[in-house]
Amino acid sequence: ADTSAKFYKNYQERLEQLKLIREENERTKAAYEIKSQFLSTVSHELRTPLTSIKASIDLVNAGVLGEVPETLKPPLAIAAKNGQRLANLIDDLLDLQKMEAGEMDFHFEAMSVNSLVKEAVEATAGYAEKLGIHVTTIIPATDVMMNGDHDRLIQVMNNLLSNALKFSDEGGSVQVRLESNGNRVRISVEDEGVGIPADARERVFGKFSQVDSSDIRKVGGTGLGLNISKQIVERHKGTIDYESEQGVGSTFFVEFDQVQQEDTGETGSDP
Ligand code: ADP
């Protein structure tokens, strides 16, 4: 009788512990949902006034309201640039929140990776030129096809390209390469920039993670781009990774399953 009383007491204690753990889990989940909702609301609320601030600045800059005095041009340029930075940050926050809530819609379709790469390179050509960086593209002559969400993949390419550009020195070069072995497609973006120290590997794909978070950091960013890119790539059942050497440069690459031209009848299906 003694052992069974002891057993019963242990059992009661375990049950009590489990109840506490379950309550704690529920509180964590509720807190997570509040955080997520808060982030989403704040981002949306910030976006509307920011859009109107940016539009007003653009209107003044365009000279529609009269010629802009030379002395006002530098502060207006700063306002426009930082307005854009804030808009990028808000977009990233909204994307992240949507992705984590499973609310980001993906529209898969068969598409040419060649065209995707060309489009992404063209979209960043102006930025590259401004920074004095030479971009070369190496693409096979025949179309390589994959199933993917065009806009989301452009977002990934933009992230990789703009990182390669902003972490390069003026006069540097960036090489974008598309390769296929018949089964897998590989896009790589190689730069000769600052590189990433080996001990930063854990942080690169994290949230709000910037390898150089010091105040003397030259280039702006949110530290969200690669986290979002990784989530997009993974939704495509693809992989993203990099090789880098500090002071020599970095190569970021993404890989996906290739689809054969004749399989592309299943347009719209998930990969
Ligand atoms: P962001 O560029 O907005 O800071 P990302 O998530 O795109 O954020 O990148 C995270 C960090 O990884 C960057 O802040 C930078 O430290 C490092 N990084 C990414 N791409 C490169 C690159 N091509 N060369 C050097 N460092 C890079």
Side-chain angles (χ1 to χ4, degrees):
D2 192 31
T3 45
S4 87
K6 210 166 146 195
F7 175 81
Y8 185 68
K9 191 166 166 265
N10 270 343
Y11 175 73
Q12 287 290 5
E13 276 171 13
R14 280 286 156 80
L15 217 60
E16 194 56 33
Q17 278 170 356
L18 280 176
K19 211 177 124 212
L20 288 176
I21 292 172
R22 202 172 52 220
E23 282 169 8
E24 185 59 32
N25 274 344
E26 269 157 22
R27 272 198 297 275
T28 311
K29 215 173 124 205
Y32 182 81
E33 263 156 32
I34 292 170
K35 185 212 80 172
S36 192
Q37 189 58 46
F38 173 76
L39 200 62
S40 165
T41 309
V42 169
S43 307
H44 278 290
E45 291 304 319
L46 288 173
R47 215 175 191 304
T48 315
L50 179 62
T51 305
S52 116
I53 293 171
K54 275 177 62 197
S56 305
I57 296 170
D58 289 347
L59 198 66
V60 175
N61 273 336
V64 183
L65 307 174
E67 208 186 316
V68 183
E70 281 306 315
T71 49
L72 286 190
K73 283 184 180 167
L76 278 170
I78 292 172
K81 191 172 150 206
N82 284 285
Q84 190 54 53
R85 252 176 96 168
L86 198 50
N88 292 344
L89 170 61
I90 293 171
D91 285 347
D92 278 359
L93 282 173
L94 283 169
D95 276 355
L96 189 71
Q97 195 275 329
K98 258 202 212 159
M99 197 97 70
E100 292 192 337
E103 286 164 6
M104 176 84 84
D105 287 332
F106 282 79
H107 304 283
F108 291 99
E109 57 183 353
M111 57 179 189
S112 151
V113 192
N114 307 50
S115 308
L116 181 90
V117 171
K118 278 186 217 154
E119 189 185 329
V121 171
E122 271 161 30
T124 46
Y127 183 44
E129 199 179 335
K130 209 174 95 188
L131 297 176
I133 293 163
H134 186 65
V135 181
T136 48
T137 314
I138 300 168
I139 295 183
T142 49
D143 264 346
V144 178
M145 306 292 290
M146 70 174 278
N147 261 324
D149 181 310
H150 171 270
D151 293 355
R152 297 289 159 223
L153 290 175
I154 285 285
Q155 193 177 348
V156 172
M157 288 304 298
N158 275 338
N159 177 225
L160 298 185
L161 278 162
S162 56
N163 279 346
L165 295 171
K166 75 183 184 185
F167 293 108
S168 285
D169 291 324
E170 199 182 331
S173 58
V174 166
Q175 196 174 75
V176 186
R177 190 188 287 264
L178 168 61
E179 290 162 298
S180 138
N181 65 3
N183 294 313
R184 298 279 283 175
V185 189
R186 181 187 168 104
I187 308 168
S188 52
V189 179
E190 181 177 354
D191 66 57
E192 300 170 347
V194 295
I196 301 170
D199 65 2
R201 184 161 276 280
E202 298 283 299
R203 280 179 285 145
V204 169
F205 292 102
K207 274 179 230 167
F208 301 105
S209 54
Q210 298 174 325
V211 173
D212 175 10
S213 55
S214 63
D215 291 341
I216 51 155
R217 220 167 159 270
K218 274 190 299 182
V219 289
T222 61
L224 288 174
L226 284 174
N227 185 275
I228 294 171
S229 291
K230 188 168 159 64
Q231 297 197 50
I232 293 174
V233 169
E234 283 171 357
R235 278 294 291 268
H236 285 79
K237 297 196 163 58
T239 56
I240 182 167
D241 206 350
Y242 72 91
E243 281 161 8
S244 183
E245 197 178 328
Q246 236 183 327
V248 178
S250 315
T251 306
F252 276 80
F253 35 85
V254 288
E255 276 186 31
F256 303 101
D257 276 338
Q258 184 177 344
V259 296
Q260 308 307 321
Q261 290 275 24
E262 50 275 22
D263 305 346
T264 57
E266 47 178 351
T267 298
S269 66
D270 267 25

